[in-house]
Amino acid sequence: MSVSDDISGVDIVRPRRRSGAPTIYDVAELAGVSPSTVSRALSKPGRISATTEAKIRVAAEHLHFRFNPMARALPTGRTHTIALVVADITNPVVFGIVRGAESAAKADGYTLVIAESQESGDAESEAIERLMPSVDGIVLATTRLPSARIHEIAEQKPVVLINRAVEGIVGILPDIGSGVRELLTHLEELGHRSIAYLAGPETSWISDQRFECMLDATERLGIALVEIGPNAPTIEGGRAALRRVMASRTTAVIAFNDLIAIGLMQAAAAEGITVPHNLSVAGFDDIFGGELITPALTTVRAQLVTAGERAVESLLAELATTDSATQRPPNPLLTTTLVVRDSTSSPSKLITRSAPD
């Protein structure tokens, strides 16, 4: 070692120059501490004195040192990496979930990796198999896998679900009933007596749950309800549903998500059907852009960022326990909120499409 150097106001000792990527031993030598102290400081902040931790962080920054998750896994069996598997990474719903999950993972020193299934259960299962050796646990957001397959995965790695309930697996769920009741009450008060539900994918658990809640609410309100679907949970899926919607002769449509609702509105506009004058339309999720279209979309807002945060926090809690038999209380349901905009109004004259030539 040579002369003492000062970096950002912290006195450290400059080591001999070495070739290759810096190691934890280089950081220890530069900071004048043991490698184990460096490990504690960088993996779990707050476990050593603030002065020593600051010195180590300055040294690590000076050397451009970064922990190698695979190297960390060798003595502990942990990679400090978790996976978030989503059905469709292009769906704006995912943006909030990813932001919340990343925030919670980062706060605990974990790296988050993301994979998508493109709405395919087979692709989802294959992605999980690829990720399994490299991660400590998995968050499945809007999974399309059957319950038996989810249990198989949970036997190998801790699993937390978002928008899916499976017995024995931790799930982060919205208060489906509350949002559905608010929306249907809103439509009933506007004067609608017949409503269509544009369902989501056939394998969507939450789509089925929403329809069941709609059945209960419409029976209570005395409103006619018809289910149309399954539908692709995309704008194109909504466009393709217009003919079936018009054939149902309903005055209001509730779509599985905002993307389907937006697609339906686009197709209606192209056919000269005015929303909401001829057809009221509402969705779920309150994605970015729902308030920017014309008319702005009435929707049921979900706590997407909170869902991502809570899922990762629950997964890390699973990883922290040494007793696999420990039963934790279920997570409280995330509140849902009706956001009334311009795409719903009192029913007026329903326009029917002309028969094709």
Side-chain angles (χ1 to χ4, degrees):
M1 300 182 186
S2 58
V3 297
S4 175
D5 193 13
D6 181 271
I7 303 174
S8 300
V10 179
D11 291 328
I12 60 177
V13 179
R14 184 184 297 278
R16 295 183 298 272
R17 180 179 296 277
R18 292 172 176 158
S19 60
T23 69
I24 196 170
Y25 300 99
D26 298 325
V27 177
E29 185 177 0
L30 182 58
V33 299
S34 68
S36 61
T37 301
V38 173
S39 179
R40 288 195 300 274
L42 299 183
S43 64
K44 287 288 186 180
R47 297 174 63 186
I48 62 174
S49 72
T51 300
T52 302
E53 183 175 318
K55 182 186 295 187
I56 290 169
R57 291 193 175 278
V58 169
E61 186 66 26
H62 180 67
L63 293 172
H64 303 291
F65 172 81
R66 295 293 182 269
F67 262 129
N68 181 335
M70 296 303 109
R72 291 174 68 183
L74 291 176
T76 65
R78 293 283 182 86
T79 65
H80 282 76
T81 301
I82 56 178
L84 171 65
V85 183
V86 299
D88 180 3
I89 203 167
T90 66
N91 190 326
V93 166
V94 172
F95 303 162
I97 291 174
V98 169
R99 174 163 291 181
E102 168 63 22
S103 175
K106 180 181 177 182
D108 215 58
Y110 276 74
T111 298
L112 182 74
V113 295
I114 302 169
E116 71 161 340
S117 67
Q118 298 182 22
E119 296 290 346
S120 165
D122 290 340
E124 182 176 1
S125 189
E126 291 173 5
I128 292 168
E129 287 299 321
R130 291 195 304 272
L131 290 166
M132 198 83 75
S134 306
V135 300
D136 296 334
I138 302 171
V139 174
L140 300 179
T142 60
T143 178
R144 304 304 183 218
L145 294 175
S147 298
R149 177 61 179 136
I150 293 172
H151 276 292
E152 288 177 2
I153 296 166
E155 288 175 358
Q156 301 175 66
K157 297 281 176 148
V159 171
V160 171
L161 307 173
I162 295 177
N163 286 0
R164 175 69 177 274
V166 174
E167 186 176 358
I169 308 294
V170 176
I172 309 301
L173 303 172
D175 186 349
I176 300 171
S178 175
V180 166
R181 286 190 296 271
E182 271 196 274
L183 177 53
L184 284 170
T185 299
H186 164 67
L187 294 173
E188 191 269 342
E189 289 176 348
L190 288 174
H192 293 279
R193 309 305 302 168
S194 60
I195 295 173
Y197 173 55
L198 287 185
E202 188 173 5
T203 53
S204 171
W205 176 87
I206 202 166
S207 181
D208 290 342
Q209 295 301 306
R210 284 175 180 157
F211 185 64
E212 290 299 319
C213 289
M214 288 180 195
L215 282 174
D216 292 340
T218 52
E219 287 174 356
R220 178 177 55 82
L221 295 169
I223 296 174
L225 176 68
V226 60
E227 183 179 26
I228 300 174
N231 299 282
T234 61
I235 288 177
E236 186 54 44
R239 291 177 182 147
L242 178 64
R243 185 178 181 186
R244 288 174 290 162
V245 168
M246 302 314 298
S248 73
R249 307 290 294 172
T250 54
T251 60
V253 176
I254 300 173
F256 164 73
N257 65 9
D258 290 345
L259 290 179
I260 292 178
I262 291 169
L264 179 69
M265 290 166 63
Q266 290 177 344
E271 293 290 331
I273 300 167
T274 304
V275 174
H277 181 68
N278 305 126
L279 184 69
S280 286
V281 178
F284 283 93
D285 298 328
D286 192 26
I287 62 173
F288 174 78
E291 77 280 16
L292 302 179
I293 63 171
T294 303
L297 181 63
T298 293
T299 187
V300 176
R301 177 178 295 157
Q303 295 188 61
L304 301 173
V305 174
T306 303
E309 289 175 345
R310 191 173 291 178
V312 168
E313 289 168 355
S314 296
L315 186 64
L316 296 180
E318 291 287 309
L319 290 168
T321 184
T322 58
D323 184 1
S324 59
T326 299
Q327 294 294 319
R328 295 181 182 81
N331 283 284
L333 297 177
L334 298 176
T335 59
T336 53
T337 307
L338 176 63
V339 181
V340 177
R341 298 195 180 106
D342 300 328
S343 65
T344 51
S345 71
S346 298
S348 184
K349 182 181 178 182
L350 180 67
I351 296 178
T352 58
R353 299 174 73 186
S354 300
D357 295 334

